[in-house]
Amino acid sequence: MKNTSPWRMGFDIGGTFTDLVLLNDETGETFRHKTLTTPEDPSEGAYTGLTQLVGMAGLAPGDIHTITHGTTLAINALLERHGAKTALVVTRGFRDVLVLGREYRYDIYDLNGAPAQPLLPRSQAYEITERVTARGEVITPLDEDGVVRLAATLRQAGYESVAVLCMHAYAWPENELRIEAILARELPGVSVSVSHKVSREIREYDRGVLTAMNAFIKPKARRYMARLESKLREGGFTCDWLVMGSQGGLMAPQVAADYPTRIIESGPAGGIVATAAFARRNLLPQVLAFDMGGTTAKACVVRNGEPSITTDYEVGRADRLLKGSGLPVKLPVVDMIEIGAGGGSIARVDTLGLLEIGPESASAWPGPACYGRGGEQPTVTDANLVLGLLDPDAFLGGRMTLDTGAARRAIRRVAEPLGLSVEEAAWGIHEVANSKMSEALRTHAVEKNVSPSQMTMLAFGGAGPSHAWSLAKQLEVKRVYFPNGAGVYSAFGLLTAPPSADFVRSDRCPLVPGLDSRRVEAIFAEGFDEALTTLAAANVDPATATLQRLADVRYVGQGSELTVVVPETFCAQQEITALVTAFEAAHLARFGRTLPGQRAEVVNWRGRVHTPPPALNTTDHPSAPQPQVQEKTLKVYLGREQGFSDCRVVPRSLFTAGSRLHGPALLQEKECAIYIGPGASAVLDEQGNILMELN
């Protein structure tokens, strides 16, 4: 029997907290919840939060129609290098492909600069005899007996997973398919990832890195998805559940388990998708999304209601602001910048006597010192508490009381070496974290050819609203929105995303008269069939799907491409000029110039299939009986010169539409505290969003 319930749930597992939202599509009633993540088994804390949230609403697990999930499983496995023991099997002569990389210096003036270390060392790379040219000519047939012998070697070495990379398999995958079949037969229980199923794109280094990543994470992802599936079913959740992809679309959990590289930025993508919906609803042309949680902070530029999507993403950068210093992820990813500065980021004094923040985090366990769970290291959250930016009695809606004394003891660990008072050291931690984030946000915006001062900021996450005022000042942003439910906004974003799937096919094709349009149409037809098959696992009706054609285009002789939408007239009327015009417009916007007379060529054909986003009724309803709350006054520290000042603490439930609150003040929500600094004021709109305006 078809589930017709109007209730949908979204939950986002972060490094410190798991955020959950329950939404009734018919009435707009929402229930929000935030619970500590359980690092040893994130599914355990998530399941506990799900059952608690269902109980808050007076529902049963069987009343839920759909569950959507955002996870940091894949990115954490890569950054921490905590995955399966993985072997790389490559065409003979290419054993060093991951070690050599691109032979590219990301900073030509840094003589000591080192790129990110290869995910797999050379000692875990093995060669097999085979070679096929880019045209499909067989130079050396596959040595199948050699693959069988290699399988015995891998079995003896105890590998859990294998990545297979054959030259030109993006176009001619037959040898990879045969190797996959032999390894599956000879190594039962060992995971195998072949490059052409992970990505059908040229450039063996990029494809090899992505395949190695997929193999490295795959066993862990499969176990996690199976464990979460088991918990949900045993707990009575009988509905379908989907996973957020890095590109901002949903996929079936079995797809995420087999291709975990597609969910590397699963968690942060939810907040960006929600920001895009917010921008469209409020007609905001340029929005800077700022999401700060317990472990990291993220930012993304959203233009005309659409987030920027890139296929040149990187993880594990040696230098967080320099492109080329990380490992490439050649898949569609929401284009954001990530900074190791969150509420749990640990402060320390370095060897030069300077204050440093992160990237090490206190995580959910033991957490910041003020959580009272045994943590002793000073964190950004401890500093915010000492400064008066957090109400110790209202954290998590009063479910957790913060220990100010423990926070002060932790801050003293950096205050004494610096010769500062505890308050001055806390202020320093807060300001260093803000400077670190503002530098990254400014760099990200400038890379997108926009000044932060011309944008509207949307701040969310558990810690984002506490830092938005300082960041807006440094970036000269005049208007900052805090959406309704800012503390769990990424989880809400999971409910605004549609299922989607992408594909890519490399096919170098000069844009000249006589182009074989039937060949291009055949490529798109094959790719769309693949994408629709992927969406079928998410129970998507093909009749509801929208197909979008894209192309990676460059001038002949260039080494990088720009992705543009393929005009309808290109395929329908074989109109090449329209595609060239679209490329030159993109080139002009990115580089400020075109190259008249230079021929253009397509390197990759891409496609995207998606369904319409859910129609949301977001009328604000009280989610549960509210306890009696009152305004109060705290002391907030404004720096060495100004010292402490009185700060109004206004519960969100007492802040009425149209009224204006002048800073310094705190607007207290159950999941976060919104700081309105001196010289700023805030108003509440009809949708329940808070707008802070700065002088």
Side-chain angles (χ1 to χ4, degrees), residues 70-415:
T71 175
T72 56
L73 172 89
I75 186 66
N76 288 345
L78 292 173
L79 295 179
E80 298 167 4
R81 302 294 174 100
H82 189 259
K85 183 178 181 181
T86 303
L88 175 68
V89 175
V90 297
T91 301
R92 189 167 302 282
F94 290 86
R95 183 182 179 188
D96 296 305
V97 63
L98 299 190
V99 178
L100 292 175
R102 293 170 172 162
E103 296 187 344
Y104 165 82
R105 294 183 65 85
Y106 60 85
D107 185 352
I108 61 174
Y109 299 108
D110 185 357
L111 300 181
N112 299 314
Q117 288 297 307
L119 186 64
L120 304 178
R122 187 178 190 271
S123 60
Q124 292 176 213
Y126 300 84
E127 295 178 322
I128 43 98
T129 300
E130 72 88 36
R131 189 64 186 270
V132 178
T133 70
R135 294 185 178 88
E137 302 157 342
V138 178
I139 297 176
T140 306
L142 173 65
D143 180 4
E144 295 193 8
D145 292 338
V147 178
V148 173
R149 292 191 296 272
L150 176 59
T153 300
L154 300 180
R155 185 189 311 112
Q156 187 175 9
Y159 285 103
E160 304 170 72
S161 190
V162 181
V164 180
L165 173 67
C166 292
M167 288 293 294
H168 306 301
Y170 60 89
W172 310 99
E174 291 79 6
N175 282 352
E176 280 195 351
L177 289 169
R178 186 60 190 141
I179 293 169
E180 180 184 31
I182 294 172
L183 292 178
R185 182 190 70 210
E186 299 292 323
L187 299 173
V190 174
S191 172
V192 179
S193 296
V194 291
S195 72
H196 77 276
K197 291 185 178 180
V198 177
S199 173
R200 296 288 292 269
E201 191 167 347
I202 60 170
R203 300 186 176 105
E204 65 275 9
Y205 169 67
D206 298 334
R207 189 161 39 93
V209 170
L210 195 64
T211 307
M213 287 180 178
N214 201 80
F216 186 73
I217 312 167
K218 190 174 178 179
K220 188 173 186 176
R222 280 181 164 177
R223 290 192 298 268
Y224 171 78
M225 297 296 172
R227 197 162 54 240
L228 185 54
E229 167 83 12
S230 177
K231 280 187 169 66
L232 290 174
R233 300 308 176 222
E234 290 174 2
F237 292 95
T238 58
C239 61
D240 291 336
W241 65 286
L242 302 173
V243 182
M244 173 65 86
S246 302
Q247 88 287 24
L250 302 175
M251 67 184 72
Q254 57 266 41
V255 174
D258 288 339
Y259 302 101
T261 46
R262 300 181 187 179
I263 59 169
I264 284 176
E265 290 295 356
S266 167
I272 307 306
V273 171
T275 300
F278 183 94
R280 291 192 296 269
R281 189 165 57 249
N282 291 279
L283 304 178
L284 299 173
Q286 296 187 126
V287 179
L288 181 61
F290 170 59
D291 174 10
M292 183 178 179
T295 307
T296 59
K298 284 78 64 177
C300 177
V301 172
V302 175
R303 286 176 167 167
N304 300 318
E306 294 295 334
S308 175
I309 304 293
T310 182
T311 56
D312 287 318
Y313 199 68
E314 294 176 358
V315 299
R317 281 185 173 180
D319 188 307
R320 59 189 169 85
L321 298 182
L322 289 180
K323 185 178 179 180
S325 67
L327 298 176
V329 178
K330 294 291 285 183
L331 288 173
V333 179
V334 172
D335 191 5
M336 67 185 84
I337 190 166
E338 191 161 351
I339 315 107
S345 295
I346 295 172
R348 67 188 186 281
V349 179
D350 67 12
T351 55
L352 297 177
L354 301 176
L355 187 60
E356 290 286 342
I357 308 295
E360 297 82 5
S361 173
S363 187
W365 188 272
C370 62
Y371 285 8
R373 296 157 64 95
E376 297 180 347
Q377 298 294 326
T379 68
V380 173
T381 296
D382 294 314
N384 288 346
L385 180 62
V386 169
L387 295 174
L389 301 180
L390 296 174
D391 182 351
D393 300 322
F395 197 69
L396 296 185
R399 290 185 291 117
M400 177 187 285
T401 300
L402 300 181
D403 187 342
T404 305
R408 294 183 65 85
R409 288 191 295 274
I411 299 295
R412 194 170 288 118
R413 296 166 72 106
V414 295

Side-chain angles (χ1 to χ4, degrees), residues 17-39:
F17 285 99
T18 295
D19 300 337
L20 308 101
V21 172
L22 176 61
L23 171 69
N24 186 313
D25 280 328
E26 293 178 355
T27 67
E29 188 176 7
T30 58
F31 293 79
R32 304 190 296 266
H33 191 44
K34 185 184 280 280
T35 184
L36 285 167
T37 296
T38 49

Side-chain angles (χ1 to χ4, degrees), residues 282-625:
N282 291 279
L283 304 178
L284 299 173
Q286 296 187 126
V287 179
L288 181 61
F290 170 59
D291 174 10
M292 183 178 179
T295 307
T296 59
K298 284 78 64 177
C300 177
V301 172
V302 175
R303 286 176 167 167
N304 300 318
E306 294 295 334
S308 175
I309 304 293
T310 182
T311 56
D312 287 318
Y313 199 68
E314 294 176 358
V315 299
R317 281 185 173 180
D319 188 307
R320 59 189 169 85
L321 298 182
L322 289 180
K323 185 178 179 180
S325 67
L327 298 176
V329 178
K330 294 291 285 183
L331 288 173
V333 179
V334 172
D335 191 5
M336 67 185 84
I337 190 166
E338 191 161 351
I339 315 107
S345 295
I346 295 172
R348 67 188 186 281
V349 179
D350 67 12
T351 55
L352 297 177
L354 301 176
L355 187 60
E356 290 286 342
I357 308 295
E360 297 82 5
S361 173
S363 187
W365 188 272
C370 62
Y371 285 8
R373 296 157 64 95
E376 297 180 347
Q377 298 294 326
T379 68
V380 173
T381 296
D382 294 314
N384 288 346
L385 180 62
V386 169
L387 295 174
L389 301 180
L390 296 174
D391 182 351
D393 300 322
F395 197 69
L396 296 185
R399 290 185 291 117
M400 177 187 285
T401 300
L402 300 181
D403 187 342
T404 305
R408 294 183 65 85
R409 288 191 295 274
I411 299 295
R412 194 170 288 118
R413 296 166 72 106
V414 295
E416 291 178 352
L418 296 172
L420 301 173
S421 68
V422 169
E423 290 78 15
E424 289 170 339
W427 179 259
I429 292 170
H430 183 76
E431 287 297 287
V432 169
N434 290 333
S435 296
K436 187 176 180 179
M437 291 185 290
S438 66
E439 178 189 10
L441 266 64
R442 182 179 286 108
T443 299
H444 182 67
V446 170
E447 285 179 349
K448 301 294 175 286
N449 197 30
V450 62
S451 169
S453 62
Q454 300 170 354
M455 306 182 76
T456 299
M457 180 185 289
L458 187 73
F460 51 95
S466 297
H467 291 258
W469 175 78
S470 294
L471 285 180
K473 277 207 330 176
Q474 294 184 26
L475 296 172
E476 299 181 352
V477 172
K478 305 286 192 302
R479 292 158 54 88
V480 180
Y481 274 101
F482 304 97
N484 193 2
V488 294
Y489 201 56
S490 287
F492 182 79
L494 300 174
L495 301 177
T496 67
S500 70
D502 296 77
F503 70 87
V504 60
R505 295 290 188 274
S506 287
D507 182 58
R508 195 169 168 187
C509 175
L511 291 176
V512 294
L515 179 146
D516 188 350
S517 61
R518 282 189 289 187
R519 173 182 170 83
V520 175
E521 271 303 302
I523 290 172
F524 275 122
E526 179 193 4
F528 284 128
D529 283 345
E530 175 190 295
L532 288 169
T533 300
T534 299
L535 287 180
N539 296 322
V540 170
D541 180 359
T544 66
T546 298
L547 312 183
Q548 184 181 35
R549 292 171 169 83
L550 305 164
D552 293 347
V553 191
R554 68 185 182 187
Y555 286 116
V556 173
Q558 288 183 326
S560 59
E561 305 83 44
L562 295 175
T563 302
V564 298
V565 175
V566 177
E568 291 292 334
T569 55
F570 176 81
C571 292
Q573 304 172 22
Q574 302 182 27
E575 178 55 64
I576 295 173
T577 304
L579 181 54
V580 174
T581 300
F583 162 66
E584 290 187 334
H587 199 281
L588 180 64
R590 175 69 64 88
F591 302 111
R593 60 174 297 192
T594 58
L595 303 179
Q598 184 68 24
R599 195 172 73 226
E601 65 178 358
V602 171
V603 177
N604 303 307
W605 300 105
R606 296 183 181 274
R608 183 170 299 147
V609 181
H610 61 87
T611 60
L616 297 180
N617 176 1
T618 55
T619 304
D620 194 29
H621 288 266
S623 60

